[in-house]
Amino acid sequence: MAKRKRGVIRWIWSILWKVLLLLMLVLLLFRFAPLPTTAFMLQSPYPVTHKWVPIDELPTYLPLAVVASEDQRFPNHFGVDVKAISNALHDYGDGESLRGASTITQQTAKNVFLWPGRSLIRKGLEAGLALSLEAIWGKQRILEVYLNIAEFGRGIYGVEAASQHYFGRSARNITPRQAARLAVLLPSPRSRNPNSLSDPLRERVSWIERQMDQLSAQHLSAILN
């Protein structure tokens, strides 16, 4: 029995280290190469439109709009925002609905490698992958990938495809307000349209613009420069 147990353990370890090695190789490859697709794109029930654009070709206020809306502590955390998680759990304990508290790094990890849902297993994998992305890719690459693979509509992935679809122009040429209008789509991209926003979402756009002004370009200067 003990011999059989040791054999099972060796087999599990043999599979595990090979999976981890493959993951590291994939992360190293896409540290530099554009991602041709992601797990979320492959699972999309809609035809996929996806166009890659390097982050250094985008106006600085576009990544700033996304950070202002989604994860203002992005320059400071290491993939998992412990403070945001603690605040979400505290609010949940006070009777509010449970917020995801996912960072941009975690959302990138989820979109590239995992699946939709909120199971503890997926959240655990997401957190582990987020730490790996921070260590191997770094902040600029994570933000570049997120801008290029986040869903902005039904089958519309990345800011370039989104900008062309909604505004008829490249993401390289959108205005700060259009950047804020794209950022407001991210929590529920399949049910929102930046050209037809409800009053609360228009107020949210104005809030994002105010946050962009308060944070200023200096907020991401260490990442983008």
Side-chain angles (χ1 to χ4, degrees):
M1 181 65 70
K3 184 177 181 181
R4 181 179 179 182
K5 184 177 180 180
R6 287 194 297 271
V8 171
I9 292 174
R10 283 197 298 269
W11 178 79
I12 293 174
W13 172 244
S14 174
I15 297 296
L16 182 60
W17 77 259
K18 290 175 183 176
V19 170
L20 291 175
L21 177 60
L22 178 60
L23 175 61
M24 291 301 105
L25 292 174
V26 169
L27 290 179
L28 287 171
L29 171 63
F30 291 119
R31 169 67 178 81
F32 306 100
L35 277 69
T37 189
T38 67
F40 267 43
M41 291 183 203
L42 293 173
Q43 297 171 75
S44 173
Y46 308 103
V48 170
T49 303
H50 173 232
K51 297 180 180 180
W52 185 277
V53 59
I55 195 169
D56 58 8
E57 295 181 13
L58 296 172
T60 56
Y61 48 75
L62 180 47
L64 181 62
V66 172
V67 169
S69 177
E70 293 288 287
D71 181 9
Q72 294 189 11
R73 291 170 54 83
F74 176 71
N76 304 315
H77 61 64
F78 197 69
V80 177
D81 191 340
V82 177
K83 182 177 180 180
I85 294 173
S86 176
N87 290 340
L89 291 174
H90 181 270
D91 292 343
Y92 181 65
D94 288 343
E96 297 184 20
S97 59
L98 184 60
R99 293 181 282 110
S102 290
T103 65
I104 282 176
T105 310
Q106 287 174 270
Q107 293 178 55
T108 302
K110 175 186 68 177
N111 289 356
V112 173
F113 295 107
L114 301 175
W115 61 91
R118 292 191 175 185
S119 69
L120 290 177
I121 291 176
R122 203 221 65 191
K123 293 297 289 185
L125 291 171
E126 177 185 296
L129 285 167
L131 296 175
S132 299
L133 292 184
E134 292 277 349
I136 297 174
W137 284 5
K139 292 290 185 182
Q140 184 183 98
R141 181 58 174 176
I142 291 167
L143 191 53
E144 179 176 48
V145 170
Y146 183 67
L147 290 168
N148 278 286
I149 57 90
E151 186 176 15
F152 288 89
R154 296 181 178 182
I156 303 168
Y157 291 87
V159 292
E160 180 67 10
S163 184
Q164 292 190 18
H165 178 80
Y166 294 117
F167 307 132
R169 62 175 64 181
S170 170
R172 300 170 178 86
N173 302 316
I174 65 171
T175 66
R177 183 162 184 81
Q178 288 172 330
R181 284 162 62 188
L182 285 183
V184 85
L185 303 180
L186 289 171
S188 303
R190 295 181 181 178
S191 61
R192 298 178 180 180
N193 184 322
N195 297 317
S196 181
L197 295 173
S198 64
D199 288 341
L201 288 178
R202 282 197 292 270
E203 292 177 5
R204 174 72 179 178
V205 170
S206 296
W207 179 86
I208 293 172
E209 290 180 302
R210 291 194 299 272
Q211 296 301 301
M212 292 165 67
D213 289 339
Q214 292 176 17
L215 293 171
S216 80
Q218 296 301 313
H219 192 63
L220 297 179
S221 60
I223 294 174
L224 300 179
N225 296 332

